[in-house]
Amino acid sequence: MVAMPQQPGSVGIFGGTFDPLHLGHVAAADRARQSLGLTSVLIVVANDPWQKSPGRMVSPAVERLAMAKLGVEGHEGLEVCDFEVERGGPSYTIDTVEQLGEGGVVLPWLVVGADLAGTLDTWERADELRRLVRVAVVSRPGSPLRLPRGWRSVALESDELDISSTSIRRDVAQGVSVSGRVPEAIIRHIDEHGLYA
Ligand code: ATP
Ligand code: MG
């Protein structure tokens, strides 16, 4: 968990619902960190993912945050950021970027999977966000790897792990093993807390 990243300046912001965090997320964050030479990638757990929450049940933020922390424990260069959960309410990336800016983080890389690259213009205060970040689009199965027009951006080819939190929730509910797709510590947490049953 971070108050502020240790060495501001070369930081990636990887936001999401993480319901739950899976190995596709870890691989994407690792790819961004290595390809861009980042000191750290912050896994930013959304409190209320407002573009998603009206359509479906989202697990409590504290559960998602706890799982994310378990998932990256001891993992070099990945840190879980609790700014959005602490702030409460709907989660806007621009607020997080501004909060990091107050701590000296300048022009962070916003890391997004290829499925989200085309949605950036719909994000809260997109015009401000566009000025404050660079975007790294990580490839993802099922989505074309395209750069968002009007945003400073790069495309990063990844190993393309075909994993989604949706498929993890569904498989847990059906009693199908998710071993090899989710960090083991998270699988234990899901079992112990009866999540997605
Ligand atoms: P859900 O199925 O609930 O939407 P998800 O697997 O898409 O879950 P999110 O929390 O929605 O996970 O996504 C957080 C970020 O991780 C997004 O930028 C998304 O594009 C990216 N991402 C998720 N899974 C992958 C993957 N397998 N490869 C690359 N990027 C991914
Ligand atoms: Mg998603």
Side-chain angles (χ1 to χ4, degrees):
M1 179 99 57
V2 284
M4 280 289 166
Q6 292 303 303
Q7 292 165 271
S10 56
V11 168
I13 299 175
F14 189 39
T17 312
F18 302 109
D19 191 14
L21 180 115
H22 54 67
L23 291 176
H25 293 133
V26 175
D30 270 340
R31 173 51 48 98
R33 191 171 88 89
Q34 283 159 15
S35 299
L36 303 170
L38 305 179
T39 309
S40 59
V41 173
L42 308 180
I43 310 268
V44 185
V45 177
N47 182 63
D48 173 8
W50 60 281
Q51 288 197 327
K52 196 181 256 181
S53 51
R56 69 164 180 90
M57 287 286 291
V58 174
S59 301
V62 286
E63 288 285 4
R64 293 181 285 106
L65 188 65
M67 288 190 283
K69 283 195 250 174
L70 288 170
V72 304
E73 203 169 82
H75 194 108
E76 170 86 21
L78 302 190
E79 301 177 48
V80 172
C81 173
D82 65 357
F83 284 3
E84 296 187 352
V85 177
E86 289 292 315
R87 210 158 53 228
S91 299
Y92 301 129
T93 300
I94 181 66
D95 293 333
T96 302
V97 168
E98 287 179 339
Q99 197 171 340
L100 287 165
E102 287 162 17
V105 174
V106 179
L107 206 59
W109 285 93
L110 185 61
V111 180
V112 294
D115 58 309
L116 291 189
T119 72
L120 290 171
D121 290 331
T122 71
W123 291 21
E124 182 75 6
R125 289 153 61 205
D127 289 340
E128 283 166 66
L129 187 60
R130 193 182 284 116
R131 282 195 293 274
L132 294 178
V133 300
R134 294 172 283 188
V135 177
V137 183
V138 181
S139 63
R140 183 174 188 184
S143 301
L145 184 53
R146 291 206 193 103
L147 294 179
R149 190 179 302 203
W151 296 72
R152 286 174 282 206
S153 55
V154 299
L156 302 178
E157 299 276 358
S158 75
D159 292 338
E160 300 230 2
L161 298 183
D162 193 5
I163 310 173
S164 68
S165 297
T166 300
S167 66
I168 300 301
R169 293 191 301 273
R170 184 197 57 220
D171 285 353
V172 171
Q174 295 179 351
V176 175
S177 169
V178 297
S179 187
R181 291 181 282 158
V182 177
E184 287 299 322
I186 296 182
I187 296 178
R188 281 197 295 277
H189 182 96
I190 290 171
D191 286 346
E192 286 163 13
H193 293 249
L195 299 180
Y196 314 125

